[in-house]
Amino acid sequence: MAAPGPWSQDNWHLRPNRNGTCFVHRGRPEPLDLHLGMFLPTLLTQATPEQQDRFFMPAWNLEIIGTYAQTEMGHGTHLRGLETTATYDPATQEFILNSPTVTSIKWWPGGLGKTSNHAIVLAQLYTQGQCKGLHAFIVPIRQLGTHEPLPGITVGDIGPKFGYDEMDNGYLKMDNFRIPRENMLMKYAQVEPDGTYVKPLSDKLTYGTMVFIRSLIVGDSARSLSRACTIAIRYSAVRHQSELKPGEPEPQILDYQTQQYKLFPLLATAYAFHFVGAYIKDTYRRISGDINEGDLSELPELHALTAGLKAFTSWAANAGIEECRMACGGHGYSRCSGIPDIYVTFTPSCTYEGENTVMMLQTARFLVKSYTQVSSGQRVTGMVSYLNDLSRQRIQPQHVAARTVTVRLNDPVSLVEAYKARAAWFVEAAAKNLEAELHRRSKEDAWNKTSVDLVQASEAHCHYVIVKLFTAKLAEISNAAVRAVLTELCLLYALYGISKNTGDFLQAGILTDAQITQVKQRVKELLAVIRPNAVALVDSFDFHDIHLGSVLGRYDGNVYENMFEWAKKSPLNKTEVHESFHKHLKPMQAKL
């Protein structure tokens, strides 16, 4: 399908087609992002062929401009708590949509404020007097041609935000607004003309768009952190400061071990997330193909994996971007550095498409369920298959000394085993704590009382998955020189993670105190090994200056000349004497 004129392929890294891929923008937020990134994919994955015939091509040609209206003012990640209702009226074969409370007003969808004329609305479906849970509906919200809100629709922009100034995030209130029965997305669940409800094979299929976006956020975490690392490392090779030895020229700040310790683990993380992002995208496509063939067996792990990795990578990238900004010193605070814009654009990913702590708890449910299956004699597959070993090697916290393993600090495969043992220890500890609480209180209270343990188990599981995937990628690289450099990065990522979580590995009996000392020493050695290739490693991300948007991170290294030119273009420099002088300062000086 040929792309229509408004977009250049240089700005988008996925192309839409009938198999469910879509446009996703590489640069700054834009009002069409949710139309391209969520509205079109939802049509492709949730609509019937008849609905696609009616809506997809008009949406593709921008006759219909859509958004994805899920989050409400009072509810976000807790989908069962959404209050918007869609009540079926069999007499007219219409759904009546309502926002019954202030907290039920749809809030935050990008492009809703002023751009969209349609929305995919997530609402509680009522038919034949029963609530059937959350379902998706195609809702026209503005008149085609005039763009005026339709009767029964109240819509607008929610106002200024921390960032995302280019995006018209909006609100939507519906009052007895009617849409045809055929506007319910019915690929999986249906409401027949008489109101009979036909349930889907799995209620999780309704949330396919969210799973898709979560899988993309993993890749976006890699790209955003890579951009910040590129800026900080290039600038650190340009910036000279202080003295290593009295009387000698000021060295590049990238030669300071403390600067390397700030930046090189983040560089390794960016590479790790890049490989994980590619894996999760391929996994999503593969499992989506299986689902289309009626095989839902891997759907639970797909939900758990995308939720956990979305949270893990966005948390790490968000903190890493800020670390890169501070590593640039005072100039990092200037918008010319480019890092403030990267931060404010990326940081919402920690809360949109699922608040991260809640995402980790969703992953924890899958981990506890898998642990329970193993405890009952079943075997589990996929990324949780390491739990199968628990039936042979019971992991008892009171016998941690027996679990000390031989870890070879130059062997990524050996480090994968250490992370695997840590994940298994955390999962079992959380599951046992939950089981103990269930003897004293209700299921809901027990879950809340152990939620910190459960999040830690999910984090450990995700950390293991990332180390495992990074290590597996090394075997696919045929060029020995490239493999050697990436092995150094992989080792740094894994060992640095151990050094920052030493208590876990000690408490679980995976490493000894002496081994932890060796880990920390090896991390410092790897900093020096990576230093000669650091600039080349960020250059290999291949960010064009126009996409990087940074004076500090320019490819040619001409930072200071261009910083001066950038400053001269400040709006305050349009006149030599600002009007405020004549209005405020001059009258005061006249009194002197």
Side-chain angles (χ1 to χ4, degrees), residues 506-562:
L506 287 170
Q507 187 180 9
I510 301 165
L511 298 175
T512 64
D513 188 54
Q515 287 174 312
I516 293 295
T517 300
Q518 293 173 350
V519 165
K520 293 183 176 182
Q521 179 60 32
R522 185 61 181 137
V523 166
K524 290 184 287 186
E525 293 170 357
L526 282 168
L527 299 178
V529 171
I530 291 169
R531 168 63 181 95
N533 293 316
V535 174
L537 284 166
V538 296
D539 286 351
S540 70
F541 291 135
D542 199 25
F543 291 115
H544 192 283
D545 280 348
I546 196 170
H547 292 139
L548 205 57
S550 172
V551 174
L552 302 190
R554 292 173 58 93
Y555 180 76
D556 62 12
N558 293 326
V559 171
Y560 299 117
E561 300 92 333
N562 287 283

Side-chain angles (χ1 to χ4, degrees), residues 37 56 64 83 265 301 305 307 343 396 522:
F56 185 81
I64 288 175
E83 300 176 81
E301 180 165 24
L305 200 58
Y343 183 84
Q396 302 294 343
R522 185 61 181 137

Side-chain angles (χ1 to χ4, degrees), residues 76-87:
T77 306
H78 179 53
L79 299 182
R80 290 192 301 275
L82 295 178
E83 300 176 81
T84 302
T85 61
T87 305

